[in-house]
Amino acid sequence: MNDLTIYHNPRCSKSRKTLQIIKDNGIQPTVVEYLKKPLKKFELENISRLLNKRPKEFVRKSEVDFKENNIKNIIENDAELINSMTEFPKIIERPIVISKNKAVIGRPPENVLELLDM
């Protein structure tokens, strides 16, 4: 199985650990450093669908960008929140791992094992 993609922030310990679990299982995933290459609206919509979560369920409310840009005021508006997530990628929960038709958030990193058992 080499169809795994991880939306990764190398500065995040959970993201690094999740990536290591994947590699320890003999998989070389596609690594997307989403802070360097921000996600597009359609990508976030797809992630939301694959996670089976609304955008507000995978946004980091404690991030400075979230607080300074009053994103809490649009938290219930999925379309506006996705637009903010494209503009301020630090507010996206990390890491997110996708395999074909399912995705998980690597918090805790062991969540990725759900995808490896498929």
Side-chain angles (χ1 to χ4, degrees):
M1 174 202 306
N2 285 336
D3 60 340
L4 227 61
T5 299
I6 180 169
Y7 293 92
H8 178 59
N9 177 351
R11 296 186 61 174
C12 171
S13 63
K14 302 286 188 210
S15 196
R16 289 192 310 269
K17 186 166 184 191
T18 301
L19 180 57
Q20 191 59 53
I21 290 171
I22 294 167
K23 288 181 175 182
D24 288 350
N25 278 274
I27 298 167
Q28 287 299 318
T30 300
V31 177
V32 177
E33 289 190 33
Y34 65 94
L35 295 180
K36 291 182 180 176
K37 181 184 175 256
L39 300 175
K40 297 186 180 351
K41 182 178 173 181
F42 78 89
E43 291 171 303
L44 284 163
E45 290 168 342
N46 186 52
I47 288 169
S48 179
R49 184 181 59 78
L50 293 174
L51 286 170
N52 197 29
K53 295 182 182 293
R54 290 185 59 201
K56 73 177 187 175
E57 296 176 88
F58 61 101
V59 70
R60 298 173 59 86
K61 298 171 185 76
S62 61
E63 283 293 329
V64 172
D65 283 346
F66 183 89
K67 294 175 182 176
E68 287 183 353
N69 294 287
N70 295 315
I71 295 173
K72 68 180 178 190
N73 296 338
I74 59 165
I75 196 84
E76 293 298 330
N77 184 320
D78 292 351
E80 284 189 40
L81 185 53
I82 282 179
N83 286 337
S84 290
M85 293 165 91
T86 62
E87 187 175 350
F88 307 105
K90 284 184 180 179
I91 70 171
I92 300 169
E93 188 59 85
R94 62 184 181 260
I96 296 172
V97 183
I98 295 177
S99 176
K100 293 186 183 173
N101 60 356
K102 187 170 182 193
V104 296
I105 297 171
R107 288 185 174 268
E110 292 76 18
N111 282 352
V112 75
L113 295 173
E114 292 176 36
L115 297 178
L116 305 182
D117 292 338
M118 292 176 64

